[in-house]
Amino acid sequence: MVERTLAIIKPDAVKKCVIGDVIQRYEAAGLDPIAMKMMHLSKSIAEGFYAVHRERPFFHDLTTFMSSGPSVVLILEGENAIQVNRDLMGATDPQKAEAGTIRAVHGASIEANAVHGSDSSETAKFEIGYFFPGMDFHAGR
Ligand code: IDP
Ligand code: MG
């Protein structure tokens, strides 16, 4: 099924100048960018995005990190895009991520792990609406 997922190239990856490399990996995996913007998330925008994690001990550090510099926010579209992107990203902790995944290649720590990807269709819908309000979720490329 053709799906859409929300991806973020996080501030650590932008600082490392690997935006192009990450996007190339998306395209090579059949994940077509259909919307994209660079933005410096404020602390409160990061908190709203990660609201599901607000009770976690790492919430403050995570939202501080996510607002520490510009990110690139994208909608990716493709066959099974949500799972394909999760597999391409690798495990949350780059040290545990499979070799060749984006996090294994570019992630520095469990926090600064280079990329975000929606983890379910419900999450994708919320996250796409959060950053691209008003975009027709079902429109084709
Ligand atoms: P995911 O990004 O692989 O879906 P989540 O558990 O949803 O992982 O966590 C969201 C983000 O919070 C992670 O990508 C990472 O940046 C950060 N994070 C997760 N677990 C930890 C932790 O134990 N310490 C610090 N940061 C964490
Ligand atoms: Mg997650």
Side-chain angles (χ1 to χ4, degrees), residues 10 12-13 16 58 61-62 65 89-97 102-115:
K10 294 184 178 183
D12 60 317
K16 282 175 66 181
F58 58 80
D61 286 352
L62 169 62
F65 159 64
M89 288 161 60
T92 308
D93 181 352
Q95 298 218 345
K96 295 181 183 149
I102 295 172
R103 284 168 163 172
V105 174
H106 294 308
S109 69
I110 194 166
E111 177 179 275
N113 57 6
V115 283

mmCIF file of all heavy atoms in Angstrom, residues 10 12-13 16 58 61-62 65 89-97 102-115:
data_model
loop_
_atom_site.group_PDB
_atom_site.id
_atom_site.type_symbol
_atom_site.label_atom_id
_atom_site.label_comp_id
_atom_site.label_asym_id
_atom_site.label_seq_id
_atom_site.Cartn_x
_atom_site.Cartn_y
_atom_site.Cartn_z
ATOM 1 N N LYS A 10 17.493 15.371 11.778
ATOM 2 C CA LYS A 10 17.626 16.077 13.055
ATOM 3 C C LYS A 10 18.831 17.033 13.059
ATOM 4 O O LYS A 10 19.716 16.934 12.192
ATOM 5 C CB LYS A 10 17.732 15.045 14.182
ATOM 6 C CG LYS A 10 16.461 14.208 14.375
ATOM 7 C CD LYS A 10 16.606 13.267 15.589
ATOM 8 C CE LYS A 10 15.332 12.466 15.821
ATOM 9 N NZ LYS A 10 15.432 11.612 17.036
ATOM 10 N N ASP A 12 21.602 17.226 14.595
ATOM 11 C CA ASP A 12 22.971 16.673 14.549
ATOM 12 C C ASP A 12 23.365 16.326 13.116
ATOM 13 O O ASP A 12 24.494 16.593 12.689
ATOM 14 C CB ASP A 12 23.103 15.447 15.470
ATOM 15 C CG ASP A 12 22.152 14.302 15.110
ATOM 16 O OD1 ASP A 12 20.966 14.585 14.815
ATOM 17 O OD2 ASP A 12 22.577 13.132 15.126
ATOM 18 N N ALA A 13 22.417 15.776 12.340
ATOM 19 C CA ALA A 13 22.723 15.393 10.958
ATOM 20 C C ALA A 13 22.870 16.627 10.068
ATOM 21 O O ALA A 13 23.720 16.657 9.170
ATOM 22 C CB ALA A 13 21.644 14.464 10.421
ATOM 23 N N LYS A 16 26.239 17.995 10.639
ATOM 24 C CA LYS A 16 27.268 17.158 10.006
ATOM 25 C C LYS A 16 27.274 17.273 8.484
ATOM 26 O O LYS A 16 28.072 16.604 7.808
ATOM 27 C CB LYS A 16 27.045 15.683 10.367
ATOM 28 C CG LYS A 16 27.516 15.307 11.753
ATOM 29 C CD LYS A 16 27.151 13.867 12.114
ATOM 30 C CE LYS A 16 27.876 12.845 11.260
ATOM 31 N NZ LYS A 16 27.478 11.452 11.640
ATOM 32 N N PHE A 58 13.923 11.467 29.506
ATOM 33 C CA PHE A 58 14.758 12.147 28.505
ATOM 34 C C PHE A 58 14.023 13.271 27.780
ATOM 35 O O PHE A 58 14.574 13.898 26.879
ATOM 36 C CB PHE A 58 15.316 11.136 27.495
ATOM 37 C CG PHE A 58 14.288 10.318 26.748
ATOM 38 C CD1 PHE A 58 13.602 10.839 25.663
ATOM 39 C CD2 PHE A 58 14.017 9.002 27.126
ATOM 40 C CE1 PHE A 58 12.659 10.087 24.978
ATOM 41 C CE2 PHE A 58 13.077 8.233 26.441
ATOM 42 C CZ PHE A 58 12.397 8.787 25.366
ATOM 43 N N ASP A 61 15.780 16.851 27.740
ATOM 44 C CA ASP A 61 17.006 16.832 26.931
ATOM 45 C C ASP A 61 16.681 16.651 25.448
ATOM 46 O O ASP A 61 17.294 17.299 24.587
ATOM 47 C CB ASP A 61 17.927 15.691 27.372
ATOM 48 C CG ASP A 61 18.613 16.008 28.692
ATOM 49 O OD1 ASP A 61 18.500 17.152 29.176
ATOM 50 O OD2 ASP A 61 19.253 15.087 29.244
ATOM 51 N N LEU A 62 15.717 15.779 25.159
ATOM 52 C CA LEU A 62 15.349 15.517 23.765
ATOM 53 C C LEU A 62 14.823 16.786 23.091
ATOM 54 O O LEU A 62 15.238 17.128 21.974
ATOM 55 C CB LEU A 62 14.273 14.420 23.710
ATOM 56 C CG LEU A 62 13.598 14.202 22.350
ATOM 57 C CD1 LEU A 62 14.600 13.758 21.290
ATOM 58 C CD2 LEU A 62 12.469 13.168 22.471
ATOM 59 N N PHE A 65 17.609 19.281 22.587
ATOM 60 C CA PHE A 65 18.409 18.862 21.428
ATOM 61 C C PHE A 65 17.686 19.184 20.118
ATOM 62 O O PHE A 65 18.278 19.750 19.183
ATOM 63 C CB PHE A 65 18.721 17.360 21.520
ATOM 64 C CG PHE A 65 19.089 16.739 20.206
ATOM 65 C CD1 PHE A 65 20.240 17.116 19.519
ATOM 66 C CD2 PHE A 65 18.266 15.783 19.615
ATOM 67 C CE1 PHE A 65 20.572 16.566 18.290
ATOM 68 C CE2 PHE A 65 18.584 15.229 18.391
ATOM 69 C CZ PHE A 65 19.737 15.622 17.720
ATOM 70 N N MET A 89 16.123 3.545 8.782
ATOM 71 C CA MET A 89 16.683 4.328 9.885
ATOM 72 C C MET A 89 17.538 3.480 10.820
ATOM 73 O O MET A 89 18.566 3.925 11.313
ATOM 74 C CB MET A 89 15.539 4.915 10.735
ATOM 75 C CG MET A 89 14.784 6.032 10.075
ATOM 76 S SD MET A 89 13.166 6.267 10.872
ATOM 77 C CE MET A 89 13.612 6.637 12.554
ATOM 78 N N GLY A 90 17.072 2.275 11.132
ATOM 79 C CA GLY A 90 17.741 1.437 12.127
ATOM 80 C C GLY A 90 17.256 1.743 13.531
ATOM 81 O O GLY A 90 16.431 2.629 13.749
ATOM 82 N N ALA A 91 17.765 0.999 14.502
ATOM 83 C CA ALA A 91 17.319 1.104 15.896
ATOM 84 C C ALA A 91 17.586 2.491 16.473
ATOM 85 O O ALA A 91 18.496 3.198 16.024
ATOM 86 C CB ALA A 91 18.021 0.046 16.734
ATOM 87 N N THR A 92 16.798 2.853 17.481
ATOM 88 C CA THR A 92 16.910 4.165 18.134
ATOM 89 C C THR A 92 18.346 4.439 18.583
ATOM 90 O O THR A 92 18.856 5.551 18.405
ATOM 91 C CB THR A 92 15.954 4.222 19.349
ATOM 92 O OG1 THR A 92 14.648 3.849 18.920
ATOM 93 C CG2 THR A 92 15.927 5.615 19.961
ATOM 94 N N ASP A 93 18.967 3.439 19.190
ATOM 95 C CA ASP A 93 20.354 3.580 19.648
ATOM 96 C C ASP A 93 21.285 3.209 18.492
ATOM 97 O O ASP A 93 21.339 2.050 18.079
ATOM 98 C CB ASP A 93 20.587 2.641 20.840
ATOM 99 C CG ASP A 93 22.002 2.738 21.384
ATOM 100 O OD1 ASP A 93 22.857 3.408 20.762
ATOM 101 O OD2 ASP A 93 22.261 2.132 22.443
ATOM 102 N N PRO A 94 22.029 4.177 17.963
ATOM 103 C CA PRO A 94 22.893 3.907 16.797
ATOM 104 C C PRO A 94 23.853 2.734 17.013
ATOM 105 O O PRO A 94 24.198 2.033 16.061
ATOM 106 C CB PRO A 94 23.668 5.216 16.613
ATOM 107 C CG PRO A 94 22.785 6.260 17.220
ATOM 108 C CD PRO A 94 22.076 5.592 18.360
ATOM 109 N N GLN A 95 24.244 2.512 18.282
ATOM 110 C CA GLN A 95 25.159 1.398 18.567
ATOM 111 C C GLN A 95 24.488 0.050 18.346
ATOM 112 O O GLN A 95 25.166 -0.960 18.160
ATOM 113 C CB GLN A 95 25.644 1.484 20.006
ATOM 114 C CG GLN A 95 26.421 2.762 20.264
ATOM 115 C CD GLN A 95 27.594 2.532 21.197
ATOM 116 O OE1 GLN A 95 27.689 1.505 21.866
ATOM 117 N NE2 GLN A 95 28.502 3.484 21.250
ATOM 118 N N LYS A 96 23.144 0.049 18.405
ATOM 119 C CA LYS A 96 22.394 -1.198 18.205
ATOM 120 C C LYS A 96 21.794 -1.279 16.806
ATOM 121 O O LYS A 96 21.182 -2.282 16.447
ATOM 122 C CB LYS A 96 21.281 -1.315 19.245
ATOM 123 C CG LYS A 96 21.820 -1.443 20.661
ATOM 124 C CD LYS A 96 20.694 -1.583 21.672
ATOM 125 C CE LYS A 96 21.261 -1.643 23.093
ATOM 126 N NZ LYS A 96 20.359 -1.075 24.085
ATOM 127 N N ALA A 97 21.947 -0.214 16.048
ATOM 128 C CA ALA A 97 21.349 -0.166 14.704
ATOM 129 C C ALA A 97 22.134 -1.065 13.754
ATOM 130 O O ALA A 97 23.369 -1.151 13.822
ATOM 131 C CB ALA A 97 21.330 1.272 14.197
ATOM 132 N N ILE A 102 20.730 4.368 8.441
ATOM 133 C CA ILE A 102 21.071 5.797 8.581
ATOM 134 C C ILE A 102 21.619 6.088 9.981
ATOM 135 O O ILE A 102 22.601 6.823 10.137
ATOM 136 C CB ILE A 102 19.841 6.679 8.283
ATOM 137 C CG1 ILE A 102 19.425 6.529 6.813
ATOM 138 C CG2 ILE A 102 20.142 8.153 8.604
ATOM 139 C CD1 ILE A 102 18.098 7.220 6.465
ATOM 140 N N ARG A 103 20.992 5.508 10.993
ATOM 141 C CA ARG A 103 21.470 5.789 12.351
ATOM 142 C C ARG A 103 22.819 5.141 12.629
ATOM 143 O O ARG A 103 23.645 5.714 13.347
ATOM 144 C CB ARG A 103 20.414 5.346 13.362
ATOM 145 C CG ARG A 103 19.241 6.346 13.424
ATOM 146 C CD ARG A 103 18.076 5.802 14.185
ATOM 147 N NE ARG A 103 17.145 6.849 14.593
ATOM 148 C CZ ARG A 103 15.958 6.611 15.142
ATOM 149 N NH1 ARG A 103 15.559 5.365 15.360
ATOM 150 N NH2 ARG A 103 15.169 7.605 15.496
ATOM 151 N N ALA A 104 23.064 3.956 12.071
ATOM 152 C CA ALA A 104 24.378 3.328 12.256
ATOM 153 C C ALA A 104 25.462 4.180 11.598
ATOM 154 O O ALA A 104 26.558 4.334 12.123
ATOM 155 C CB ALA A 104 24.381 1.921 11.676
ATOM 156 N N VAL A 105 25.131 4.760 10.451
ATOM 157 C CA VAL A 105 26.124 5.531 9.698
ATOM 158 C C VAL A 105 26.309 6.935 10.285
ATOM 159 O O VAL A 105 27.430 7.406 10.438
ATOM 160 C CB VAL A 105 25.713 5.619 8.203
ATOM 161 C CG1 VAL A 105 26.639 6.541 7.430
ATOM 162 C CG2 VAL A 105 25.692 4.233 7.567
ATOM 163 N N HIS A 106 25.202 7.600 10.637
ATOM 164 C CA HIS A 106 25.283 9.023 11.014
ATOM 165 C C HIS A 106 24.942 9.329 12.467
ATOM 166 O O HIS A 106 25.184 10.449 12.922
ATOM 167 C CB HIS A 106 24.350 9.848 10.114
ATOM 168 C CG HIS A 106 24.760 9.862 8.672
ATOM 169 N ND1 HIS A 106 26.039 10.200 8.266
ATOM 170 C CD2 HIS A 106 24.072 9.582 7.530
ATOM 171 C CE1 HIS A 106 26.101 10.126 6.940
ATOM 172 N NE2 HIS A 106 24.926 9.746 6.480
ATOM 173 N N GLY A 107 24.329 8.409 13.191
ATOM 174 C CA GLY A 107 23.921 8.701 14.566
ATOM 175 C C GLY A 107 25.110 8.765 15.510
ATOM 176 O O GLY A 107 26.074 8.015 15.353
ATOM 177 N N ALA A 108 25.030 9.666 16.483
ATOM 178 C CA ALA A 108 26.124 9.819 17.448
ATOM 179 C C ALA A 108 25.772 9.192 18.792
ATOM 180 O O ALA A 108 26.648 8.691 19.495
ATOM 181 C CB ALA A 108 26.437 11.304 17.630
ATOM 182 N N SER A 109 24.508 9.212 19.174
ATOM 183 C CA SER A 109 24.095 8.711 20.490
ATOM 184 C C SER A 109 22.614 8.349 20.423
ATOM 185 O O SER A 109 21.955 8.632 19.420
ATOM 186 C CB SER A 109 24.294 9.802 21.551
ATOM 187 O OG SER A 109 23.363 10.854 21.343
ATOM 188 N N ILE A 110 22.091 7.776 21.507
ATOM 189 C CA ILE A 110 20.674 7.411 21.520
ATOM 190 C C ILE A 110 19.796 8.654 21.386
ATOM 191 O O ILE A 110 18.668 8.568 20.914
ATOM 192 C CB ILE A 110 20.307 6.577 22.766
ATOM 193 C CG1 ILE A 110 18.928 5.917 22.604
ATOM 194 C CG2 ILE A 110 20.371 7.415 24.034
ATOM 195 C CD1 ILE A 110 18.614 4.828 23.604
ATOM 196 N N GLU A 111 20.312 9.802 21.764
ATOM 197 C CA GLU A 111 19.549 11.050 21.605
ATOM 198 C C GLU A 111 19.804 11.670 20.220
ATOM 199 O O GLU A 111 18.867 11.938 19.459
ATOM 200 C CB GLU A 111 19.930 12.045 22.694
ATOM 201 C CG GLU A 111 19.231 13.397 22.536
ATOM 202 C CD GLU A 111 19.617 14.335 23.661
ATOM 203 O OE1 GLU A 111 18.975 14.266 24.722
ATOM 204 O OE2 GLU A 111 20.583 15.103 23.481
ATOM 205 N N ALA A 112 21.066 11.898 19.917
ATOM 206 C CA ALA A 112 21.441 12.523 18.635
ATOM 207 C C ALA A 112 21.600 11.409 17.598
ATOM 208 O O ALA A 112 22.713 10.999 17.253
ATOM 209 C CB ALA A 112 22.730 13.321 18.796
ATOM 210 N N ASN A 113 20.449 10.928 17.125
ATOM 211 C CA ASN A 113 20.451 9.739 16.266
ATOM 212 C C ASN A 113 20.019 10.046 14.824
ATOM 213 O O ASN A 113 19.476 9.206 14.129
ATOM 214 C CB ASN A 113 19.602 8.629 16.892
ATOM 215 C CG ASN A 113 18.170 9.065 17.154
ATOM 216 O OD1 ASN A 113 17.777 10.168 16.773
ATOM 217 N ND2 ASN A 113 17.394 8.213 17.785
ATOM 218 N N ALA A 114 20.304 11.257 14.407
ATOM 219 C CA ALA A 114 20.265 11.671 12.986
ATOM 220 C C ALA A 114 18.890 11.849 12.343
ATOM 221 O O ALA A 114 18.701 12.795 11.580
ATOM 222 C CB ALA A 114 21.121 10.746 12.117
ATOM 223 N N VAL A 115 17.962 10.941 12.601
ATOM 224 C CA VAL A 115 16.673 11.007 11.901
ATOM 225 C C VAL A 115 15.511 10.585 12.785
ATOM 226 O O VAL A 115 15.672 9.810 13.730
ATOM 227 C CB VAL A 115 16.668 10.110 10.627
ATOM 228 C CG1 VAL A 115 17.423 10.765 9.486
ATOM 229 C CG2 VAL A 115 17.187 8.714 10.927
#
